Amino acid sequence: MKKILLIFKYSPKLTVGVIILLFLILLALLEPTINYYRLGGRSSTEIGLFDTFLPPSREHPFGTEAYGRDVFSLLLTGLKYSLLIGFTAGALATLIAVVLASIAGYKGGRIEAFITTIANAILIIPSWPILAIIVLFVRKVDLLLLSAILAFFSWAGSSRQIKAQIASLRERPYIDLARVTGFSDLEIMFKEILPNFLPYIFVGFSYSVTGTIMAETALRLVGLGPGDIPSLGQFINWAIYSGTLAQGHYLIVISPITFLILTFVSLNLINVGLDEVFNPRLRQVTGV
Amino acid sequence: MKRSIFSYLVNRILLYVLIFLISLSAFFFFINLVPGDPVTRYIQMLEQRYGLSTPASEIVIQKYKEVFGLDKGLFERYVSYMKRLILHQDFGPSFVAFPKPAIELILESLPWSVGLLGTSVIIAWLLGVILGTIVGWTRESKISSTVFTTGLVISQIPTYLLAIILVMVFTFWLNLFPMGGAYSAILQRSFSLRFILSLIKHAFLPSLSLIFVYVFGTMISQRALVISVLGEDYIKLAEAKGLKSSRLINRYILRNTLLPQTTGLALSLGFIVNGFFLIEWIFNYPGIGRLFMMGIREMDYNVLMGITVTTMFCVLTANLIIEFLYPLIDPRIRRG
């Protein structure tokens, strides 16, 4: 426990990132409760609950939008779904990335070359149009299927992050020691290597979460994907298509964008913070 | 020596051809294994949208399927698709402007995208490398760390969200920039000053939304590279020898960071293009991103497929060009 506190003291970036992310997660978790009390058990996406385009007031802190829905409640619902998809797809992508990167980093040689080529191909190719076409033509896309499709296109980035680390771990003497002692490949992977790169797995995870939320938001923005999952991207889509900007109600568009940017920034601050704490070489050079 | 460069280049070309063919085939089979064919779906969509109750006659559907080659088996369709694509660069007719071939629509809009995207990426990358080197070199100063932290935040903004913010502020609120198009509709295409100014004015916001984010993205990676090079012994030796800072930066630091930085650019191109599709849509810029969105609205299978293949091809070619630059940057590759 003390050690964890020390880590936070060591990197203000990590602390700020964790605080923002926890705040967002808390908001998302409390969404059902808050919206239940604010709307009296009605859905935040129900059309015509209030007057349209009410200015911000005590009752509606962010006002209401073109279809007479409370912006604050919609924001919470959107945040919940965006994070839910991001974390589900991110976890899936990280799992794929860890398994493949472990195999590649540890085995080396041809297997590594093969996996790297596939990962690079996915990274190089512009994947969003492919994603859009798949979502357009696969008729029933639910949350899980959408997450799986998103994960398929985002594991490559985090695998790249993770693999570089394993490659350096492979050369360390204690791995040789374990090998001489007669540990099997699997034992070495799970007992010796895995605990040492947990921070890097998290870095890979947050890369995927950012990537999948970005891709999902982009899909929803242009009106693709499951219409019954009102994520933040869907919210921006509603706002744009209802002429909110032309009528000058900027707050309605700015608030979901702010929530999304906060999510991305907090995840990145955590990444940079973890790197500062766990990458001694960088620490030495920068002298932070 | 010559042979090693040659075999390096041939190697790269083969790799890219392989990546192109494999991803294209994987995508083709996946999209064709999804139940339902594009023509039936297109007609269903028309029926829903315009409330037409007359079910499309079987003969018409059959005719369309023949034109689109959908009446054959999956493998046969794959072979004929690839044959048409590789031998004739033909994606088949479009729905958006039937019977105009999809490839014509794509070729009309491609130059706009390549021009705007290419210019923006090169500007962003160069500025980012310069800024990153300065920030890395002066890493102990207050200003440097402030710029770095600001960059950490800005580089995380998706380009398309920034595009929405820019449209909101500069077009709707301040009314400073035009909404949509590549040039003013009242002007004729010509080499006049007025036309060129109009081009720049229309391209400014879309390219700003890309440049603003990628300058800081490149700055952050360049800073990290510079700092890690600064920790090397040969830098200490060069400093001890009393080399001038300008020489140190040009010959020692930039030289050593250029290769990984170029690789970084190559790897992020695909990602940049992803965001660019939405930027074009938001600014109504007449490139392939906007055409793609039109294709989505009309469920235009051939246009969508064609755009995907074309962007894939362009990005892979750009990567290949970058890889051809490697031997110039890095003598180790040149000498094998």
Side-chain angles (χ1 to χ4, degrees):
Chain A
M1 196 58 211
K2 226 178 179 178
K3 213 172 152 193
I4 294 176
L5 282 178
L6 253 179
I7 289 174
F8 281 119
K9 209 176 149 195
Y10 191 79
S11 169
K13 291 195 188 82
L14 185 65
T15 319
V16 175
V18 168
I19 290 174
I20 299 177
L21 189 65
L22 283 182
F23 173 70
L24 292 172
I25 293 177
L26 192 72
L27 274 183
L29 287 177
L30 288 178
E31 185 267 345
T33 325
I34 297 177
N35 277 354
Y36 184 83
Y37 281 107
R38 298 196 69 236
L39 306 170
R42 316 205 29 192
S43 161
S44 61
T45 53
E46 195 179 315
I47 287 173
L49 218 50
F50 307 100
D51 283 339
T52 57
F53 291 130
L54 287 176
S57 62
R58 184 178 289 187
E59 227 174 303
H60 307 289
F62 289 79
T64 61
E65 45 92 86
Y67 301 105
R69 295 174 289 191
D70 182 80
V71 172
F72 183 60
S73 290
L74 272 181
L75 273 178
L76 291 184
T77 313
L79 181 69
K80 182 179 81 177
Y81 283 111
S82 285
L83 289 183
L84 190 62
I85 293 174
F87 281 101
T88 316
L92 266 173
T94 314
L95 190 70
I96 303 173
V98 168
V99 171
L100 290 181
S102 311
I103 295 171
Y106 183 69
K107 284 279 182 189
R110 279 206 180 155
I111 298 173
E112 180 177 13
F114 178 72
I115 294 177
T116 313
T117 310
I118 303 259
N120 279 351
I122 294 183
L123 274 181
I124 292 171
I125 286 168
S127 53
W128 191 80
I130 300 182
L131 197 66
I133 296 179
I134 292 176
V135 173
L136 177 72
F137 282 104
V138 176
R139 215 167 300 160
K140 278 229 149 120
V141 187
D142 57 6
L143 199 145
L144 212 60
L145 182 61
L146 182 65
S147 306
I149 299 173
L150 289 166
F152 177 78
F153 285 103
S154 76
W155 66 266
S158 57
S159 135
R160 201 179 138 77
Q161 298 290 330
I162 296 168
K163 213 194 66 202
Q165 297 304 327
I166 303 180
S168 79
L169 283 173
R170 189 173 51 186
E171 310 298 332
R172 308 239 170 115
Y174 67 91
I175 303 290
D176 286 333
L177 186 69
R179 199 172 290 144
V180 172
T181 327
F183 276 33
S184 72
D185 280 2
L186 269 182
E187 271 179 307
I188 293 177
M189 261 189 225
F190 281 96
K191 287 192 180 154
E192 302 291 332
I193 295 184
L194 202 67
N196 278 299
F197 71 76
L198 269 178
Y200 300 105
I201 292 186
F202 186 83
V203 171
F205 173 69
S206 77
Y207 265 95
S208 317
V209 174
T210 305
T212 47
I213 296 183
M214 271 191 200
E216 196 264 351
T217 308
L219 286 176
R220 309 307 298 282
L221 204 59
V222 299
L224 289 171
D228 54 340
I229 301 176
S231 67
L232 288 173
Q234 174 76 70
F235 184 19
I236 304 175
N237 170 278
W238 282 327
I240 287 179
Y241 276 99
S242 58
T244 305
L245 283 179
Q247 296 181 51
H249 302 286
Y250 303 127
L251 187 66
I252 298 172
V253 179
I254 272 294
S255 41
I257 291 181
T258 311
F259 265 25
L260 284 166
I261 292 176
L262 275 180
T263 311
F264 301 142
V265 168
S266 66
L267 283 166
N268 191 43
L269 284 178
I270 295 176
N271 274 353
V272 176
L274 283 177
D275 209 29
E276 279 177 0
V277 176
F278 289 97
N279 196 340
R281 190 160 168 235
L282 191 72
R283 204 186 310 166
Q284 212 177 24
V285 181
T286 50
V288 245
Chain B
M1 186 189 119
K2 268 205 172 137
R3 182 176 290 170
S4 75
I5 291 192
F6 185 70
S7 72
Y8 165 81
L9 296 182
V10 170
N11 230 319
R12 295 282 104 186
I13 294 178
L14 285 180
L15 177 72
Y16 278 102
V17 171
L18 200 69
I19 291 181
F20 181 64
L21 289 180
I22 291 179
S23 7
L24 179 58
S25 312
F27 179 50
F28 182 90
F29 281 113
F30 184 88
I31 213 68
N32 278 281
L33 285 174
V34 173
D37 63 82
V39 172
T40 316
R41 238 188 249 125
Y42 178 62
I43 287 170
Q44 276 172 357
M45 185 206 68
L46 286 183
E47 283 176 357
Q48 272 173 16
R49 182 175 300 169
Y50 302 111
L52 296 174
S53 52
T54 33
S57 106
E58 274 304 310
I59 304 165
V60 174
I61 294 184
Q62 211 48 49
K63 189 75 197 155
Y64 268 86
K65 280 185 179 174
E66 261 169 51
V67 175
F68 284 85
L70 290 169
D71 48 348
K72 299 179 204 112
L74 178 61
F75 190 70
E76 218 176 315
R77 231 184 308 159
Y78 171 72
V79 172
S80 79
Y81 190 87
M82 292 304 256
K83 220 195 235 153
R84 249 187 338 174
L85 177 63
I86 291 163
L87 296 180
H88 310 287
Q89 291 82 45
D90 181 15
F91 299 117
S94 65
F95 288 147
V96 183
F98 190 83
K100 203 171 180 183
I103 184 77
E104 266 183 43
L105 292 174
I106 293 171
L107 288 181
E108 276 166 21
S109 36
L110 192 62
W112 292 110
S113 299
V114 173
L116 185 62
L117 184 72
T119 327
S120 315
V121 167
I122 291 171
I123 294 175
W125 190 78
L126 287 176
L127 283 180
V129 168
I130 296 169
L131 196 62
T133 311
I134 298 172
V135 170
W137 181 253
T138 60
R139 65 194 179 286
E140 266 129 28
S141 77
K142 261 247 155 68
I143 302 174
S144 165
S145 68
T146 316
V147 174
F148 173 61
T149 318
T150 319
L152 277 183
V153 174
I154 294 175
S155 65
Q156 290 308 302
I157 303 175
T159 48
Y160 60 82
L161 291 185
L162 182 64
I164 296 178
I165 297 176
L166 289 178
V167 165
M168 198 172 87
V169 175
F170 290 104
T171 308
F172 283 103
W173 186 35
L174 298 174
N175 211 354
L176 282 177
F177 282 92
M179 177 80 221
Y183 51 87
S184 174
I186 51 166
L187 293 176
Q188 291 279 320
R189 278 193 207 191
S190 62
F191 267 108
S192 66
L193 185 67
R194 247 181 94 201
F195 181 74
I196 293 170
L197 281 179
S198 169
L199 273 185
I200 295 176
K201 205 172 175 188
H202 281 78
F204 185 75
L205 285 185
S207 80
L208 181 67
S209 46
L210 197 147
I211 292 174
F212 194 65
V213 172
Y214 281 105
V215 162
F216 288 102
T218 317
M219 179 199 87
I220 284 164
S221 60
Q222 176 69 7
R223 176 187 175 271
L225 287 169
V226 167
I227 288 175
S228 79
V229 169
L230 282 175
E232 298 285 347
D233 289 337
Y234 56 77
I235 297 286
K236 293 203 183 89
L237 179 68
E239 266 176 329
K241 276 199 299 191
L243 282 189
K244 270 193 234 151
S245 322
S246 62
R247 192 175 166 83
L248 199 64
I249 291 174
N250 286 332
R251 296 295 291 268
Y252 287 71
I253 296 172
L254 275 183
R255 189 96 202 168
N256 277 298
T257 54
L258 216 51
L259 188 72
Q261 196 57 264
T262 319
T263 314
L265 174 69
L267 279 177
S268 54
L269 263 185
F271 190 73
I272 297 176
V273 171
N274 286 345
F276 198 69
F277 271 81
L278 284 126
I279 294 182
E280 279 189 1
W281 170 72
I282 290 163
F283 287 101
N284 208 12
Y285 201 79
I288 47 171
R290 195 186 67 165
L291 183 65
F292 188 80
M293 300 308 167
M294 277 161 67
I296 282 183
R297 211 173 47 220
E298 304 293 330
M299 292 193 96
D300 192 333
Y301 174 82
N302 284 341
V303 164
L304 292 177
M305 197 68 189
I307 291 176
T308 313
V309 174
T310 313
T311 35
M312 224 188 252
F313 180 77
C314 290
V315 170
L316 287 177
T317 311
N319 265 279
L320 196 60
I321 294 172
I322 292 176
E323 294 221 17
F324 279 7
L325 294 176
Y326 281 177
L328 296 177
I329 303 171
D330 192 343
R332 281 167 299 186
I333 300 175
R334 202 155 56 217
R335 303 204 181 104

